[in-house]
Amino acid sequence: MNNDLMAAIGVALGHDGPYQESQPSGSGHQPGTRVRVLAGVVDGERVAWVEYRAGRPDSDGHLPVDLLLHVKGEDGELVTVDVPTYNPYFECDVHLMRFHGDALLVIYTEKHDTIALRLTGDRMELREIDDDLLVHGDVVAYRPYKANVGVLDLAGFQASVPLPVVTEDFTLTDAHRALLPGPEQYGFPARAAVWARLRELLTVTGPVPQYGVDVLIGALAQPYWFAPPTEYHYDALSHWSRTSDGPWWLPAAWYLHLASRPHTMSAAHAWLAWLDRLAVDAAPTPACGLHGWQPGWTVTEGAAQLAMHLIRYRAGLLAGMCRAGALPDGWWGWEGKRWAHSLPVREFPPGFVTVWNQLPKRCAPRRDW
């Protein structure tokens, strides 16, 4: 570990020299305790570090383990908290650790997830992100499972409008830095404002089937108007599809339902024709596979325009499902029309709610394991 860090930890703890990690026979710690510093940061008089401690197995073979975050501030007070994790035995990989104002920011990967943590005094805030990440100044971009590129403003510790991935084979690279929002574009727009702008953009795409606009706003554009909440406990973190992606399979499922009944076949044709028009009008796929922010966009305009890129891209995928006559596997959490989003269905657009309530369970995704 860095000598300057170990020296700063020693000073923070009042030791005569640098902090010493220990093996079972090491001195300075309780006998039998293994201590390792996994990461740390020094900022003037402030120092913070993540520490792994493992004691002796008890009579049942249980190994007592602690994963701790220590912070010594300019006021000289030492704050120690447990690092939120599924199991401290598996330690963690720290990707970023820095002070910002009065807060300490840490991004780390534990057994199951990658988590952004902000500690102000002893008040902890958490956000689930992903280990496929790109740090650019005070912005972190990350790619959640099967979803868009998420954006986190580290200074305000607030989620921002994501970026639409429009290719199947995608990896974040330094080339994507130029696509990230500027400071005036951080955060999320008011829900009503972005819904109104999306209704304007979708209405001019030709004949729109009944409920069509509201269904696409709810099913495809949801990541652009719903801001994932900050959590304060590990168990409250949302996982997988609960906030990262909405039920974007719903338009294809609704088409299959309409196409299964002779008296609604024309409505099904209207849906497929609309999806085809949306896909045909999609902007060319960027070489980097990602659409990004443009200077001058407000948060509302940017959210709506980026959402439209995703809608047009996924419209082509949905049209393919319609023609195949079945939904593909892989919709974890939504099987049998279970509601898998942390936001209640009643808070989605009215037309979306109507379609969701009328869709038969047999048309929803099925369990694929």
Side-chain angles (χ1 to χ4, degrees), residues 184-343:
E184 70 283 357
Q185 297 167 326
Y186 294 165
F188 270 78
R191 188 182 305 177
V194 74
W195 284 10
R197 182 62 178 132
L198 281 169
R199 287 189 172 108
E200 292 175 354
L201 295 172
L202 286 166
T203 300
V204 299
T205 58
V208 177
Q210 187 179 24
Y211 308 126
V213 169
D214 276 9
V215 168
L216 295 196
I217 291 175
L220 278 71
Q222 166 269 323
Y224 296 82
W225 52 261
F226 171 69
T230 299
E231 302 293 356
Y232 303 93
H233 304 283
Y234 178 84
D235 291 340
L237 289 173
S238 300
H239 296 285
W240 304 106
S241 63
R242 291 190 64 81
T243 57
S244 62
D245 224 4
W248 69 269
W249 50 267
L250 184 61
W254 185 242
Y255 165 86
L256 295 173
H257 168 58
L258 296 174
S260 69
R261 305 182 303 174
H263 65 285
T264 55
M265 184 64 73
S266 60
H269 291 327
W271 264 97
L272 183 54
W274 189 44
L275 293 173
D276 283 338
R277 285 195 303 275
L278 286 167
V280 167
D281 291 339
T285 301
C288 65
L290 188 68
H291 290 287
W293 283 83
Q294 294 184 13
W297 274 352
T298 64
V299 176
T300 298
E301 185 65 18
Q305 294 293 343
L306 293 172
M308 286 298 299
H309 284 304
L310 186 72
I311 287 171
R312 293 185 185 281
Y313 169 66
R314 286 186 167 173
L317 303 180
L318 290 165
M321 296 178 202
C322 295
R323 291 189 169 89
L327 300 179
D329 293 335
W331 308 100
W332 185 87
W334 298 96
E335 304 90 346
K337 217 179 80 164
R338 289 191 300 163
W339 185 251
H341 199 280
S342 56
L343 191 67

Side-chain angles (χ1 to χ4, degrees), residues 98-119:
R98 68 169 68 158
F99 286 99
H100 199 293
D102 295 332
L104 174 71
L105 302 171
V106 185
I107 296 178
Y108 65 97
T109 298
E110 46 96 52
K111 184 176 188 291
H112 290 302
D113 298 298
T114 298
I115 297 169
L117 176 156
R118 180 166 72 169
L119 187 67

Side-chain angles (χ1 to χ4, degrees), residues 51-55 63-68 82 88-89:
E51 185 175 83
Y52 173 84
R53 288 176 170 258
L63 181 68
V65 173
D66 292 302
L67 193 59
L68 303 171
D82 292 318
Y89 175 82

Side-chain angles (χ1 to χ4, degrees), residues 66-83:
D66 292 302
L67 193 59
L68 303 171
L69 174 61
H70 306 280
V71 184
K72 187 72 173 283
E74 292 177 339
D75 59 3
E77 181 180 358
L78 177 65
V79 174
T80 298
V81 297
D82 292 318
V83 175

Side-chain angles (χ1 to χ4, degrees), residues 164-167 169-170 175-176 179 282-292 309 313:
V165 176
V166 291
T167 181
D169 186 16
F170 177 82
H176 297 115
L179 305 177
T285 301
C288 65
L290 188 68
H291 290 287
H309 284 304
Y313 169 66

